[in-house]
Amino acid sequence: MEQIIQLEKAANVRDLGGYIANNGIVRMNKVVRSASLSELSKHDQVKLEEYGVKKVIDFRSPSEATEAPDKIISESKAYFLPVFGHDETKVSISPQELLKQLEQGMTAESQMINVYRHFIEDEHAKLAYRKFLQILLENDKDNTSVLFHCTAGKDRTGFGAALLLDILEVDHQTIMADYLATNRYLNEQTEYMVTKAKEQGASDLLVAGVKDLMKADAAYLNESYRAAKEHYGSLKNYVKTGLGFSEQEIKDLQKLYLTK
């Protein structure tokens, strides 16, 4: 079961600890996934500081980060690692632009499938995820956490969480359950966006597109696994060959993030 961290002004904030792996249990207070930190309350900032968050990784695009900069967590170091040069996940896209793309025949679902392939195929994305794993390797003190996030904590963050859990040899069913849990924690936000769109006279096509963009779907994450298998044979080989991580570095990550 995922470990939610309840905050006042941030959603989908979860400790990845507690999951059972082949050779242990993922450590608590070591790595946290999250949605945007741009609206953290003072209470939230203090809570994350007390939780031991020392490094914050931002996967968002430059425009997303500029429009909604992270609130600072005291005693933490910030890393800006945009997975893409712009918001390919479409979470921050304007309704007008989304509708235009949908009317041109580009379904939201097909766009998201492309995004999840890009995590594997895009060179810029690979650089970001390699640096992500390097930062995790440096987190060698007990009860100190690396927090990583994007806008919704769903796609770029969801893939990052799946990548780490796969390296730690957590089973695929558990990894997928962690990924899909986002739908529960973003349900209120999604319903708000849908209601607002309807109030503004959005078409059924646009409303359906918003729902597709805001959901975590097994087909999306499985596309990353499929692309990794096509190009590298497996997600683990993507880590080795695509990201240039050695077998020893993988073992070091397992040692740091697993406990018996």
Side-chain angles (χ1 to χ4, degrees), residues 209-220:
V210 169
K211 289 180 178 179
D212 281 339
L213 291 181
M214 288 302 297
K215 72 180 179 181
D217 190 309
Y220 300 166

Side-chain angles (χ1 to χ4, degrees), residues 67-209:
E67 291 169 8
D70 281 352
K71 291 290 182 66
I72 301 301
I73 300 169
S74 182
E75 305 298 325
S76 70
K77 182 176 181 180
Y79 296 84
F80 185 52
L81 302 181
V83 171
F84 302 117
H86 59 282
D87 181 18
E88 290 200 12
T89 67
K90 311 300 181 187
V91 171
S92 301
I93 195 171
S94 70
Q96 295 81 7
E97 180 61 26
L98 174 58
L99 181 59
K100 178 181 177 182
Q101 294 185 12
L102 293 173
E103 288 175 340
Q104 291 173 345
M106 295 178 63
T107 68
E109 184 176 17
S110 67
Q111 292 180 41
M112 295 309 298
I113 290 292
N114 287 334
V115 165
Y116 278 75
R117 289 196 70 87
H118 284 184
F119 294 146
I120 302 298
E121 298 172 344
D122 185 83
E123 292 300 322
H124 190 79
K126 287 192 284 188
L127 287 173
Y129 285 116
R130 172 166 175 73
K131 181 61 177 176
F132 165 61
L133 295 180
Q134 289 175 326
I135 293 169
L136 290 174
L137 264 180
E138 297 166 1
N139 183 35
D140 57 359
K141 295 180 180 178
D142 290 339
N143 298 316
T144 60
S145 294
V146 174
L147 183 151
F148 61 101
H149 78 93
C150 51
T151 294
K154 177 176 70 76
D155 304 309
R156 290 160 288 189
T157 297
F159 175 73
L163 183 64
L164 175 60
L165 293 176
D166 190 86
I167 289 171
L168 299 180
E169 298 184 355
V170 173
D171 68 90
H172 184 71
Q173 184 177 356
T174 301
I175 292 173
M176 185 61 73
D178 177 82
Y179 169 74
L180 294 175
T182 283
N183 290 326
R184 293 200 303 277
Y185 301 118
L186 290 185
N187 182 60
E188 184 177 336
Q189 182 179 345
T190 300
E191 288 301 314
Y192 170 79
M193 291 178 67
V194 167
T195 299
K196 187 175 181 181
K198 289 180 177 178
E199 289 174 350
Q200 295 175 349
S203 66
D204 291 342
L205 180 65
L206 180 57
V207 170

Side-chain angles (χ1 to χ4, degrees), residues 28-45:
M28 295 291 297
N29 287 89
K30 290 292 290 180
V31 60
V32 177
R33 56 175 297 173
S34 174
S36 174
L37 305 181
S38 62
E39 296 185 6
L40 291 178
S41 67
K42 290 291 185 182
H43 172 271
D44 294 339
Q45 290 170 289

